């Protein structure tokens, strides 16, 4: 029997999936390993956290994507390392997986920059579990305040979002909308307007990688919608019921959302390889790992040089295009054709602020703000969502929310014992807890 080269792909995110999809009809066997049995569409996690969408709308069962591809084998498992000498991927509690070619696409994790208390008390937003935990907590705080209104004076309805990048802007905008337009009606026995959404950014602007006009628009719109935007404000420490700032001021809160930074996933630290910014795996121009011509790193986990000493940002498009590229490099090697360097095509960046408000910066210096940018944002996210069912469900949810001002799933699925105490962080393999220093995600839209 002819030996089919075995390509092992670690991670079923944007990078891993695009690699596997590009290889599914080629003369190779693909083994796609992920700790979850589903792909998560991270750009819409904030809508799950703020009761805009159902968790199942932003996730897709990985096996379902390859049900007709008999040479793609999906495996659920947690990868713990790579045995370079034996050319095997090591898994927790399972047999190792041998490879001829390896693609590491393990993504990133939350970065708390070593800020005291952040690991214990901040809410990350990196996985589906994070989004559900945050939604439970937000809704539980309102329930607690309704039961005991005196808690409002203790800051129970102060929602602090740390990080003025796209994720922070989106979370703050969506939270303000949820409270002002939806919970206000749900909790008619509570003065919901005593709640505050505070967006904290240590730099001098929001959306630092965007044009100043887009930055000003984002700030103005958030403030008009009731968000208290605090620039040049650095978090110093977080406790069970307060956030303390570098200027010695503090704010009572029981819900602090951390949208301030990411680093390479834990796996990057476990693999014997050179690491760059944020612990990301350094790669050659063709995205192979130095010293291992048959192994590649793509997406958030890879430190990809972008010229002039910079690196490519951690964005869906970088991961998708990187995945396609390494699939082609693997086929070039098998077919004895020369490899080529990765050339990223920037298709633009976007961030949404809320209903009929977004910023979009597209190639050829096209800059959009307001309703038209928002429509572009909606359309693009629908295009890149996986699965027709998910697209239809998201579209129906968005149309319903838009027409009725009624958000969908305001369900507390795992009631916390006492909402006013710290949240029960999930520490399982899906959790995005713990961190070390690195840069954050700068710009986005999965276009
Ligand atoms: C809240 C949020 C909003 C975002 N919004 C945007 C946006 O609007 N536009 C945009 O372009 N980008 C956005 N991004 C960034 C974008 O989602 C990432 O750049 C993209 O997901 C990177 O793809 P990836 O394949 O490298 O990693 P991921 O999509 O994170 O996939 C990594 C996969 O690897 C798996 N994995 C990790 N470690 C292991 C292990 N040890 N064993 C097995 N499996 C493992 C994970 O389970 C995961 O499925 C956002 C990110 C977040 C968190």
């Amino acid at each position: 029997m002819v030996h089919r080269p075995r390509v092992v792909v670690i991670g079923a995110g944007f990078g891993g999936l695009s690699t596997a999809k590009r290889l599914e009809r080629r003369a190779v066997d693909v083994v796609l390993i992920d700790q979850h049995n589903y792909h998560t569409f991270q750009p819409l996690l904030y809508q799950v956290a703020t009761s805009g969408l159902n968790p199942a709308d932003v996730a897709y069962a990985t096996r379902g994507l390859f049900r007709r591809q008999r040479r793609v084998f999906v495996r659920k498992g947690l990868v713990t390392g790579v045995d370079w000498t034996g050319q095997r991927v090591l898994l927790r509690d399972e047999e190792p997986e041998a490879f001829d070619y390896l693609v590491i696409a393990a993504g990133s994790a939350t970065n708390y920059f070593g800020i005291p208390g952040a690991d214990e008390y901040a809410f990350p937003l990196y996985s589906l579990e994070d989004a559900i935990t945050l939604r439970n907590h937000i809704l539980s705080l309102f329930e607690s305040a309704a039961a005991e209104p005196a808690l409002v004076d203790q800051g129970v309805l102060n929602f602090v979002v740390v990080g003025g990048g796209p994720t922070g802007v989106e979370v703050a905008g969506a939270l303000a909308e949820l409270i002002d337009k939806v919970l206000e009606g749900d909790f008619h026995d509570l003065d919901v307007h005593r709640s505050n959404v505070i967006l904290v950014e240590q730099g001098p602007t929001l959306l630092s990688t965007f044009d100043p006009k887009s930055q000003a628009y984002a700030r103005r719109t958030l403030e008009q919608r009731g968000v208290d935007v605090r620039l040049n404000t650095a978090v110093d420490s977080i406790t069970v019921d307060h956030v303390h700032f570098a200027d010695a001021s503090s704010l009572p809160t029981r819900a602090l959302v951390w949208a301030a930074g990411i680093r390479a996933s834990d796996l990057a630290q476990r693999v014997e390889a050179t690491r760059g910014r944020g612990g990301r795996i350094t790669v050659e121009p063709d995205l192979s790992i130095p010293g291992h011509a048959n192994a590649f790193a793509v997406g958030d986990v890879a430190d990809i040089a972008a010229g002039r000493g910079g690196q490519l940002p951690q964005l869906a498009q970088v991961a998708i295009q990187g995945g396609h590229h390494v699939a082609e490099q693997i086929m070039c090697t098998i077919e004895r054709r020369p490899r080529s360097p990765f050339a990223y095509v920037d298709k633009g960046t976007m961030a949404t602020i809320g209903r009929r408000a977004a910023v979009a910066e597209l190639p050829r210096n096209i800059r959009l703000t307001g309703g038209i940018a928002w429509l572009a944002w909606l359309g693009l996210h629908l295009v890149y969502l996986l699965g027709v069912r998910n697209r239809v469900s998201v579209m129906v949810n968005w149309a319903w929310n838009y027409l009725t001002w009624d958000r969908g799933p305001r369900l507390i699925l795992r009631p916390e014992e006492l909402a006013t105490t710290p949240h029960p962080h999930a520490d399982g393999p899906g959790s995005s807890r713990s961190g070390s220093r690195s840069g954050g995600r700068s710009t986005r839209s999965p276009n």
Side-chain angles (χ1 to χ4, degrees), residues 268 273-277 279-285 287-292 295-297 301-305 311:
T274 320
R275 281 176 287 274
R277 198 171 60 106
R280 293 155 78 183
I281 298 172
T282 309
V283 288
E284 302 283 5
L287 303 186
S288 63
I289 298 174
H292 305 284
F296 301 82
V301 80
D303 195 29
I304 308 171
Q311 278 91 10

Side-chain angles (χ1 to χ4, degrees), residues 342-359:
F342 175 53
Y344 173 61
V345 181
D346 184 357
K347 296 188 176 176
T349 53
M350 290 182 178
T352 183
I353 298 146
R355 169 182 283 242
R356 286 202 301 263
V359 293

Side-chain angles (χ1 to χ4, degrees), residues 107-175:
S108 4
T110 308
N111 189 349
Y112 294 112
F113 304 114
I115 288 181
D119 197 27
E120 292 91 340
Y121 304 120
F123 285 77
L125 188 54
Y126 215 81
S127 65
L128 204 52
E129 292 95 324
D130 292 341
I132 297 167
T133 304
L134 182 54
R135 182 179 81 189
N136 285 341
H137 189 67
I138 293 167
L139 297 174
S140 299
L141 286 173
F142 277 92
E143 294 294 347
S144 300
E148 203 182 332
L151 287 172
V152 181
D153 297 324
Q154 296 168 28
V156 150
L157 296 185
N158 285 347
F159 299 92
V160 178
V161 181
V162 181
T167 301
V169 165
E170 284 174 353
V171 172
L175 253 177

Side-chain angles (χ1 to χ4, degrees), residues 11 13-15 34-35 42 79 106-107 126 300 315-316 441 444-445:
F14 287 105
D34 199 290
Q35 59 193 336
Q42 288 173 344
V79 176
Y126 215 81
D300 282 7
L315 293 175
R441 187 162 50 86
R444 333 73 68 63
S445 102

